[in-house]
């Protein structure tokens, strides 16, 4: 599969698999379920390996809900790693499966314990060196047939300024930042669809980041301050260029690669033809 539709990855290196009912998969796809909780208990804690450099390493076949991890590592932040960075969860039900991207991790420290090693009894101790972590993963599905949209950003007229962009990049979490954006062709857009953000109006015109919709379109007040009705989507934004840098793919390069598409004119939130989206995917990295 491809992450961000353009970067080849080995899903076994960055994902864990959960067995769920088919109803869970359907609810994840529709947005009724947006968070997944994993479980570890005394019976299956033997599947936990030791801590390495502040990261709790898990065996991928196990399906955990609570993690035992050192409370003092990483300044008290929850430490986890599975063969590297954990970016995805694969929900499986029989022959059906659903790939979901992890977009946030909410952790709450619970019972303080003395962790004596995998397979050994857990002993509660208010002064213990470890803790049972309750962990909630916020997820968004990768659709089987996603659409791709072109969003447009002109810093000279947008309510989203260059300073806003700089602040977003400087404060990314898990390599992402969040925002909402107006979408013109919203009727077919759905949670999970992909987008590219194109900067316009200056010498930095071109693709500056990409990402995924994490909501269905919804109405809101006009960002420009008029009485016009606008539709918006919430987004996670990935692979941003430095605010002072040239775009990942310049306007000139886009015109050269896909001359049939009108890059210099148009609204924000244009549904890209499949052949244009596929061609763009090939050249964004």
């Amino acid at each position: 599969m491809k992450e961000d539709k353009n970067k080849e990855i080995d899903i076994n290196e960055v994902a864990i698999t959960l067995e769920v009912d088919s109803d869970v998969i359907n609810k994840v796809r529709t947005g009724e379920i947006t968070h997944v909780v994993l479980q570890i208990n005394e019976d299956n804690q033997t599947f936990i390996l030791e801590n390495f450099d502040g990261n709790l390493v898990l065996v991928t076949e196990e399906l955990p809900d609570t993690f035992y991890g050192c409370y003092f590592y990483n300044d008290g932040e929850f430490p986890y790693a599975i063969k590297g960075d954990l970016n995805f969860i694969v929900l499986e039900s029989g022959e059906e499966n659903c790939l979901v991207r992890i977009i946030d991790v909410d952790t709450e420290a619970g019972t303080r314990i003395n962790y004596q090693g995998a397979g050994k009894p857990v002993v509660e101790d208010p002064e213990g060196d470890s803790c049972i972590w309750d962990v909630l993963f916020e997820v968004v599905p990768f659709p089987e047939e996603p659409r791709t949209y072109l969003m447009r950003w002109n810093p000279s007229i947008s309510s989203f300024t260059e300073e806003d962009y700089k602040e977003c990049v400087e404060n990314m979490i898990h390599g992402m930042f969040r925002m909402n954006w107006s979408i013109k062709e919203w009727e077919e857009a759905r949670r999970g669809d992909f987008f590219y953000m194109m900067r316009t109006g200056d010498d930095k015109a071109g693709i500056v980041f990409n990402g995924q919709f994490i909501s269905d379109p919804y109405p809101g007040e006009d960002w420009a301050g008029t009485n016009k009705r606008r539709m918006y989507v919430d987004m996670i934004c990935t692979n941003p260029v430095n605010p002072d840098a040239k775009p990942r793919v310049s306007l000139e390069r886009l015109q050269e690669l896909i001359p049939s598409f009108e890059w210099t004119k148009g609204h924000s939130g244009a549904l890209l033809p499949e052949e244009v989206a596929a061609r763009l995917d090939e050249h964004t990295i």
Side-chain angles (χ1 to χ4, degrees), residues 13-238:
E13 293 294 323
V14 295
I16 56 175
T17 300
L18 305 182
E19 293 183 8
V20 299
D21 294 334
S22 58
D23 185 51
V24 172
I25 291 179
N26 293 334
K27 290 180 178 180
V28 167
R29 286 174 172 158
T30 62
E32 186 175 347
I33 291 177
T34 58
H35 294 76
V36 176
V37 182
L38 306 185
Q39 180 175 16
I40 281 181
N41 53 42
E42 288 190 51
D43 295 330
N44 63 21
Q45 65 171 307
T46 55
F47 290 94
I48 308 175
L49 305 181
E50 297 300 324
N51 284 293
F52 291 95
D53 298 325
N55 291 317
L56 187 66
V57 184
L58 309 180
V59 176
T60 56
E61 295 82 47
E62 197 49 31
L63 319 178
D65 186 303
T66 340
F67 292 88
Y68 298 111
C70 183
Y71 186 78
F72 296 113
Y73 281 170
N74 300 339
D75 296 322
E77 295 181 5
F78 170 69
Y80 73 89
I82 297 183
K83 298 182 181 179
D85 294 327
L86 178 60
N87 296 317
F88 303 96
I89 296 174
V90 181
L91 305 177
E92 284 193 350
S93 177
E95 297 182 356
E96 184 180 16
N97 65 70
C98 176
L99 181 67
V100 296
R101 178 205 294 271
I102 297 171
I103 58 178
D104 202 2
V105 183
D106 181 21
T107 60
E108 181 179 350
T111 307
R112 195 72 174 265
I113 63 173
N114 281 318
Y115 182 59
Q116 304 180 83
K120 296 182 180 179
V122 172
V123 179
E124 290 191 24
D125 183 349
E127 304 299 324
D129 62 358
S130 298
C131 190
I132 298 177
W133 295 87
D134 297 323
V135 184
L136 193 67
F137 291 98
E138 184 179 359
V139 298
V140 62
F142 275 68
E144 294 179 0
E145 297 181 359
R147 300 176 181 87
T148 301
Y149 289 79
L150 183 69
M151 320 302 275
R152 285 182 166 93
W153 171 44
N154 186 334
S156 65
I157 62 174
S158 175
S159 60
F160 183 70
T161 66
E162 287 196 85
E163 283 300 313
D164 293 330
Y165 179 49
K166 182 178 180 180
E167 184 176 350
C168 286
V169 173
E170 290 177 348
N171 293 284
M172 289 195 298
I173 299 176
H174 307 302
M176 310 173 194
F177 63 90
R178 300 189 190 206
M179 63 192 308
N180 68 357
W181 208 262
S182 62
I183 178 170
K184 179 71 172 179
E185 300 178 24
W186 59 270
E187 291 86 354
E188 296 184 55
R190 295 292 181 269
R191 173 175 173 262
D193 285 341
F194 296 101
F195 74 90
Y196 287 98
M197 181 64 75
M198 180 176 175
R199 180 169 178 158
T200 65
D202 57 23
D203 61 353
K204 297 178 184 177
I207 302 299
V208 290
F209 57 87
N210 65 300
Q212 193 174 11
F213 296 163
I214 56 175
S215 76
D216 289 340
Y218 58 88
E221 296 182 0
D222 182 19
W223 59 266
T226 73
N227 292 326
K228 185 177 180 179
R229 179 176 181 265
R230 296 272 187 180
M231 297 296 289
Y232 294 85
V233 286
D234 296 333
M235 311 185 300
I236 50 168
C237 308
T238 58

